[in-house]
Amino acid sequence: MSSRWVWTVAILVAMGGALPARAACVARPSSTAELAQCSTAAAAGDVAAARLLGEVMGDPTQRHFDPAAALSWWEQAAAGGDGLALRRLFDAHWYGRGTPRDHAKARAYLARAVATGAPWARLVRAVLAETEEPGVAAELYNGLAAEGNCLAQLRLAHGHDRGGWVEKNRSQALYWATVAGLAGRSEPRPDDHPLFESRFHYRDCSTEAYFLRGDLARNLAVDLRARVEETAAAWKPGKVPERQGPVDAPAAIGVSPAGLGAAAASRIPDWRPLPGTLQRPAGRSRLGAEEVFATVGRSVYVVVAARTEEELKARKGRFGSAVAMDERTVVTNCHVIDEMAVILLRQGNQTLRATPSGGDPATDRCQMTVSPGRLSAAPGIRAWDDLRVGETVYSIGSPKGLEATLGQGLISGLRQIKATRYVQTTAPISQGSSGGGLFDASGNLVGITTFHIRDADGLNFAIAAEDFFR
């Protein structure tokens, strides 16, 4: 505390005469006597008095303005558990008010305020985390949104509309915009912070939600929009919604998919055939094993899937494979990713988060999308009717997580079980190879390696690549 303020207190006490050992201080002091009372109370350990003294001495319009003394009183109040004092200390160090700007020290005060559950602090921490730690931002916004904080609900709506730090999902965006509009009409505006306001310039929640809902609703099918709005109307505090519709682009790595808690299982959207534009013509140039691998090996990725981020870190996940069909789409077997909330694709030093975009567990066909990042797609697709028993084929997958493992064999049969067509092959398929690629001697994708019959050498099966377009 500054020496100037020590002398000021001494003079005030002298002017005010003898004061009780624990004088009352219940409002911001304005008179000389009130200032003396608060000083005595703060010196005796009154937390509120210490914070109120900080308010007076941190105000440049007051004649007792003393920034160093204000920081000292706020420190004392914060140590006693005063949340507003923590906010004052954050502001002082973040904006450089009465002390040199120090963002590291400001973040330390912010962390203490977040630990107390202060809504303004959680909002600010989420804003800062959007680019630095998207998983933290999503967790904070979801927590606040579940409590009924319409600002966090709006932030999730905008996030799902644009994608990046959370998955791009217009249906999810409409859900949160609808909930925010309802909350904005029934609840007072939540406690926020200038750092949040200056970044997003939200008006009142109801107005902001109204215009956002209009933009989102125009881009959704009528039946889907009606279903989302009906679900949102039934929202109650404490509720985290399930995923509302198809994913346009997955979230950043480290962010749980929309509607899924840390321990929730992934819900695979309904099957949608791959677009015909991805069914590229088959090549006819015959290649050797080395050339086939060099040509198509980059299109096969390791899949690492786990129920939670903790399981992933503990290496308790599930391994599989996937084949890229274009820059953002991969196909795999549903049994590789079913009930998994965290799905990563790996190849060399590249790691991408993948999100299920369509699946039919009954036929074990699943698709996923990735973002950001670019995948190297399989060059051509071979029709099942064009295959011949006895042709040389190559399997590329990740058995036991061993990336880009090449196997060679023959097409030993062409089978159809119910509506699904299979390529039977002697090319090796084992645990971890599921979802990998089966290629012909020209490097065309002929199937997605799916299963093998145990205790029977060479009885391996791949779903026809063409079936992913049906």
Side-chain angles (χ1 to χ4, degrees), residues 232-248:
W235 180 86
K236 295 180 180 179
K239 183 177 180 181
V240 176
E242 295 183 345
R243 180 182 285 137
Q244 298 299 303
V247 178
D248 300 301

Side-chain angles (χ1 to χ4, degrees), residues 106-320:
R107 284 174 181 267
Y109 289 119
L110 181 64
R112 288 168 59 185
V114 169
T116 69
W120 73 266
R122 292 153 70 195
L123 273 177
V124 171
R125 179 69 183 94
V127 171
L128 299 177
E130 283 187 26
T131 55
E132 301 169 353
E133 301 173 276
V136 172
E139 181 180 353
L140 287 166
Y141 282 136
N142 274 297
L144 286 163
E147 294 170 10
N149 188 304
C150 64
L151 295 173
Q153 291 163 354
L154 282 172
R155 197 69 210 108
L156 286 171
H158 281 286
H160 284 299
D161 179 30
R162 297 165 186 168
W165 57 274
V166 288
E167 70 180 28
K168 185 174 182 179
N169 185 327
R170 295 283 176 83
S171 303
Q172 205 76 17
L174 178 60
Y175 177 93
W176 280 122
T178 303
V179 171
L182 295 172
R185 288 198 296 269
S186 60
E187 300 290 339
R189 183 181 173 90
D191 186 21
D192 61 354
H193 189 274
L195 197 151
F196 182 90
E197 293 175 356
S198 64
R199 187 76 60 92
F200 303 117
H201 305 288
Y202 289 164
R203 293 155 286 192
D204 65 278
C205 290
S206 295
T207 303
E208 186 73 22
Y210 173 81
F211 288 108
L212 180 57
R213 283 177 60 198
D215 290 338
L216 292 166
R218 283 193 290 271
N219 295 307
L220 292 180
V222 175
D223 58 339
L224 178 58
R225 182 175 72 228
R227 188 169 70 246
V228 171
E229 290 177 339
E230 181 182 0
T231 305
W235 180 86
K236 295 180 180 179
K239 183 177 180 181
V240 176
E242 295 183 345
R243 180 182 285 137
Q244 298 299 303
V247 178
D248 300 301
I253 292 175
V255 183
S256 295
L260 302 176
S266 178
R267 191 163 58 91
I268 299 175
D270 292 338
W271 171 255
R272 292 183 297 172
L274 293 172
T277 54
L278 301 186
Q279 199 165 357
R280 291 172 288 277
R284 295 297 177 183
S285 300
R286 192 170 182 83
L287 308 172
E290 292 181 9
E291 293 172 293
V292 168
F293 184 80
T295 301
V296 303
R298 294 189 302 275
S299 67
V300 182
Y301 291 75
V302 180
V303 175
V304 184
R307 289 182 175 83
T308 65
E309 294 285 351
E310 289 71 25
E311 282 191 7
L312 186 70
K313 292 175 182 177
R315 299 187 178 183
K316 295 180 180 179
R318 180 189 297 169
F319 286 104

Side-chain angles (χ1 to χ4, degrees), residues 301-362:
Y301 291 75
V302 180
V303 175
V304 184
R307 289 182 175 83
T308 65
E309 294 285 351
E310 289 71 25
E311 282 191 7
L312 186 70
K313 292 175 182 177
R315 299 187 178 183
K316 295 180 180 179
R318 180 189 297 169
F319 286 104
S321 305
V323 179
M325 305 302 284
D326 68 6
E327 292 182 349
R328 292 183 52 227
T329 306
V330 295
V331 295
T332 187
N333 296 131
C334 294
H335 72 260
V336 174
I337 61 173
D338 189 36
E339 299 184 353
M340 297 292 110
V342 184
I343 306 171
L344 304 180
L345 298 184
R346 290 180 179 167
Q347 188 182 89
N349 294 324
Q350 184 184 34
T351 300
L352 301 169
R353 176 176 286 279
T355 300
S357 54
D360 181 12

Side-chain angles (χ1 to χ4, degrees), residues 4-5 28-32 34-35 52-67 70:
R4 181 162 67 91
W5 175 242
R28 179 167 167 165
S30 55
S31 67
T32 299
E34 289 172 350
L35 204 61
L52 291 169
L53 284 170
E55 301 286 331
V56 172
M57 294 178 200
D59 186 348
T61 66
Q62 296 293 313
R63 63 191 180 94
H64 296 297
F65 176 58
D66 186 340

